[in-house]
Amino acid sequence: MKLKKGVKRFLIAVVIILVAVSAFLVFKNLDSKQETKEVKVVSKISEYGYTLKDSKTKAYKDMFKDLKEILQKDKVDEEAYVKQISKMFIYDFYSLNDKAAKTDVGGTDFVYAEILDNFLLNAQDTYYKYVESNIYNDRKQSLPIVDETSIKIDDINSAAYAYGTKTDEKAYAVKATWNYTDDEYSDYQKEAILVFIHDGKKLSLVELQ
């Protein structure tokens, strides 16, 4: 049985509309899923090049506030300064749960610029290697968080440190220990020695053991 031209045209129009609506819904769903929150800088310590992003945890924001108070004093207490950035580096680098992807390496504000590229590559190939992407906030992976209250600075030594063709006569070697918020990560790294050198007025991490 042949369809009348009017009926045939009507059916074709219905099919076209259904296809168009389906395509619209698919693209709308993709767009909504791919929406990512814009990360904004909410505080700065401009003279030292430190920035605080709104994506950071409350614990890190509190640490940043303390660092700002240390660095805004007329005379900066370098031991308090190196102690604070050691804690901030440990918390930010070894906590993975707030990282968007394996390339979102923490603690980079405190790393010496000349070794930063190698530092990032090494981190992405080791500690950050298996961090799944969370760009669309749909990650199900369980990841460690450093307990900020557990970070302890066990020792601070000042001594000469050679790097490249230069030597810092008063570099700092900081020995620290910490724990994680969940015992599931008790076999993760929980101690380190961090070496900081003078980089202008700031202190920068050049070695992590």
Side-chain angles (χ1 to χ4, degrees), residues 14 32 46 54 75 127:
V14 169
S32 62
S46 300
D54 63 353
K75 186 176 182 180
Y127 192 67

Side-chain angles (χ1 to χ4, degrees), residues 74-112:
D74 293 335
K75 186 176 182 180
V76 174
D77 181 340
E78 276 204 341
E79 192 163 307
Y81 173 25
V82 76
K83 183 177 180 180
Q84 186 65 14
I85 60 176
S86 294
K87 289 182 176 181
M88 293 174 72
F89 175 85
I90 289 165
Y91 179 81
D92 199 24
F93 181 79
Y94 291 101
S95 293
L96 299 179
N97 192 60
D98 63 328
K99 304 305 185 289
K102 64 177 286 186
T103 54
D104 184 17
V105 178
T108 55
D109 265 2
F110 309 109
V111 178
Y112 187 46

Side-chain angles (χ1 to χ4, degrees), residues 111-151:
V111 178
Y112 187 46
E114 291 185 17
I115 67 163
L116 183 56
D117 288 344
N118 286 335
F119 174 82
L120 291 171
L121 287 173
N122 184 59
Q124 290 165 30
D125 287 341
T126 54
Y127 192 67
Y128 282 70
K129 186 173 183 178
Y130 299 107
V131 176
E132 297 172 2
S133 174
N134 194 36
I135 295 174
Y136 306 127
N137 298 311
D138 56 359
R139 182 172 62 204
K140 300 296 189 290
Q141 185 181 21
S142 178
L143 293 168
I145 304 171
V146 172
D147 177 359
E148 76 279 6
T149 64
S150 74
I151 304 172

Side-chain angles (χ1 to χ4, degrees), residues 11-209:
L11 290 174
I12 290 172
V14 169
V15 170
I16 291 172
I17 291 170
L18 288 174
V19 170
V21 170
S22 298
F24 172 77
L25 291 175
V26 168
F27 283 116
K28 184 178 180 182
N29 185 56
L30 285 173
D31 285 343
S32 62
K33 191 173 183 179
Q34 291 181 357
E35 285 181 1
T36 56
K37 184 181 178 181
E38 182 184 353
V39 177
K40 296 179 181 178
V41 172
V42 293
S43 186
K44 293 181 181 180
I45 308 176
S46 300
E47 292 181 55
Y48 292 81
Y50 300 138
T51 58
L52 177 64
K53 297 175 182 176
D54 63 353
S55 58
K56 293 298 184 183
T57 65
K58 181 183 183 303
Y60 188 85
K61 289 175 180 176
D62 288 342
M63 290 185 204
F64 192 91
K65 182 181 178 181
D66 291 341
L67 176 62
K68 200 168 189 177
E69 289 178 2
I70 291 169
L71 297 179
Q72 285 179 337
K73 291 182 178 179
D74 293 335
K75 186 176 182 180
V76 174
D77 181 340
E78 276 204 341
E79 192 163 307
Y81 173 25
V82 76
K83 183 177 180 180
Q84 186 65 14
I85 60 176
S86 294
K87 289 182 176 181
M88 293 174 72
F89 175 85
I90 289 165
Y91 179 81
D92 199 24
F93 181 79
Y94 291 101
S95 293
L96 299 179
N97 192 60
D98 63 328
K99 304 305 185 289
K102 64 177 286 186
T103 54
D104 184 17
V105 178
T108 55
D109 265 2
F110 309 109
V111 178
Y112 187 46
E114 291 185 17
I115 67 163
L116 183 56
D117 288 344
N118 286 335
F119 174 82
L120 291 171
L121 287 173
N122 184 59
Q124 290 165 30
D125 287 341
T126 54
Y127 192 67
Y128 282 70
K129 186 173 183 178
Y130 299 107
V131 176
E132 297 172 2
S133 174
N134 194 36
I135 295 174
Y136 306 127
N137 298 311
D138 56 359
R139 182 172 62 204
K140 300 296 189 290
Q141 185 181 21
S142 178
L143 293 168
I145 304 171
V146 172
D147 177 359
E148 76 279 6
T149 64
S150 74
I151 304 172
K152 290 183 173 58
I153 304 302
D154 300 316
D155 193 25
I156 299 176
N157 284 317
S158 180
Y161 182 87
Y163 59 102
T165 59
K166 302 175 183 178
T167 299
D168 185 344
E169 298 295 339
K170 294 183 179 180
Y172 290 95
V174 181
K175 184 179 180 182
T177 56
W178 64 92
N179 289 306
Y180 297 90
T181 56
D182 195 312
D183 289 339
E184 178 184 352
Y185 308 103
S186 59
D187 59 342
Y188 277 52
Q189 184 173 346
K190 292 186 289 185
E191 61 180 33
I193 295 176
L194 303 87
V195 179
F196 292 88
I197 59 169
H198 290 86
D199 180 17
K201 69 188 304 179
K202 70 188 290 188
L203 292 169
S204 295
L205 182 71
V206 289
E207 189 175 333
L208 177 64
Q209 302 172 10

